[in-house]
Amino acid sequence: MSKGKLIILSGPSGAGKSTVVNKAIEKRGNICFSVSVTTRKPREGEIDGRDYFFIDADTYDRMLENNELLEHARYVNNCYGTPASFVNEKLEAGMNVVLDIEIQGAWQVKQKIPDAVTIFILPPSMALLEHRLKSRGTDSPEAVAARIERARQEIQEADFYDYLIVNRDVDLAADQLLAILDAEHCRFQRSVCDRVLSNEACDDLL
Ligand code: 5GP
C-alpha cells in the first residue's frame, strides 16, 4: 500500500485552518487530523482526545524526555506537541495526516521529514482576523492582542512554506487543499515507473 502524505498546515489562530480541513475531510475520506497534546486549558466546547489531549506540564515534560513528540513548541504561554506514534501509524495505513501546527513546529518537521507538504493559510486581511478572534469570544482582549502579534510575526517568517491558501471562502480553500494533495501524490517517482515496467499491479497508487 502506498503511504499517506504528511501535510503541515500553519497560519494564524483564527485563519480557519480546522474548518478548512474538516470541509476537505467531508469531501474526501482518506484524510485525518493528528491530535496534539497541549498544556493549554480547554476552551468551551473542546473535547479531550478530539481537539487536543489536554495534559499538565509534568506529563508534557515526560513526553519530551521520552522522545514521544515528533515536534513541539511554545505558543503564547502554552506548550504544544505532536505525538509521533499516531502520525506514523496513520501514514503507514495510507491515510493523509494533517498537522495543524504553528511555524516553529512546522520547521522542525520539515527538517526531519523533507517530503512533508507545508501549507500556510492566511485570512483575507488582518482586520478580519482580529474581528474573528474577538467574536469567537474565547480569549481575553490581552490574549487576542498576543495572538494578533504572533500572527504578524508568523506571516513575516513563512517564506519556507511550499503552498499558500488565502481563506476567503471555506469551500474554495478546501478544494485548493485537495488539489495540492492530488498534485503531491502525482509527483514523479521512478519506483512507480519501474512497477509499471515490470507489470506489477499499481491499483494502490495515486
Ligand atoms: P490554539 O491554542 O488556538 O488551539 O492553537 C494555537 C496555535 O498552536 C495554533 O497556531 C496551532 O496551529 C498551534 N498548534 C496546535 N497544536 C500544535 C502542535 O502540536 N505543535 C505545534 N508546534 N503547534 C501546535
Side-chain angles (χ1 to χ4, degrees):
M1 176 179 299
S2 70
K3 271 182 74 171
K5 275 275 165 198
L6 184 59
I7 304 146
I8 303 171
L9 197 67
S10 306
S13 176
K17 284 166 291 181
S18 45
T19 319
V20 170
V21 176
N22 282 326
K23 191 55 147 186
I25 293 173
E26 236 175 67
K27 289 171 183 254
R28 189 91 60 86
N30 62 345
I31 306 168
C32 67
F33 260 123
S34 148
V35 182
S36 297
V37 294
T38 182
T39 59
R40 167 167 81 60
K41 297 277 165 280
R43 297 191 184 115
E44 208 178 307
E46 282 185 329
I47 296 175
D48 188 46
R50 183 194 69 183
D51 300 291
Y52 281 105
F53 293 106
F54 295 99
I55 58 173
D56 59 27
D58 288 345
T59 311
Y60 181 83
D61 290 343
R62 186 184 47 72
M63 291 185 85
L64 263 184
E65 270 166 31
N66 293 344
N67 260 332
E68 291 173 42
L69 300 178
L70 175 61
E71 60 72 40
H72 61 94
R74 248 191 117 72
Y75 185 96
V76 190
N77 300 329
N78 293 299
C79 298
Y80 297 82
T82 302
S85 55
F86 176 90
V87 172
N88 291 333
E89 278 163 28
K90 292 292 175 185
L91 290 176
E92 288 299 333
M95 289 292 277
N96 299 299
V97 181
V98 177
L99 308 185
D100 170 351
I101 60 177
E102 53 68 68
I103 194 165
Q104 303 167 60
W107 180 256
Q108 290 170 41
V109 178
K110 194 69 185 171
Q111 302 312 302
K112 283 190 189 167
I113 308 174
D115 72 345
V117 185
T118 50
I119 308 174
F120 199 82
I121 294 210
L122 278 175
S125 71
M126 293 309 283
L128 192 69
L129 182 72
E130 193 167 350
H131 174 73
R132 278 190 198 159
L133 286 178
K134 282 181 178 158
S135 56
R136 191 157 78 174
T138 48
D139 293 295
S140 65
E142 295 74 32
V144 169
R147 279 168 185 270
I148 293 285
E149 184 47 36
R150 179 66 180 246
R152 286 188 183 282
Q153 252 176 33
E154 286 200 342
I155 295 168
Q156 294 291 350
E157 293 166 6
D159 297 66
F160 71 90
Y161 282 79
D162 300 312
Y163 297 96
L164 189 62
I165 294 176
V166 179
N167 183 17
R168 293 182 197 87
D169 172 88
V170 173
D171 212 45
L172 177 62
D175 284 343
Q176 289 175 330
L177 178 65
L178 293 173
I180 292 168
L181 198 51
D182 286 343
E184 287 292 328
H185 276 285
C186 291
R187 273 192 179 276
F188 186 91
Q189 293 175 66
R190 167 52 35 205
S191 59
V192 175
C193 300
D194 291 343
R195 284 176 67 179
V196 169
L197 284 172
S198 60
N199 275 328
E200 212 182 297
C202 286
D203 303 347
D204 59 314
L205 297 168
L206 312 180

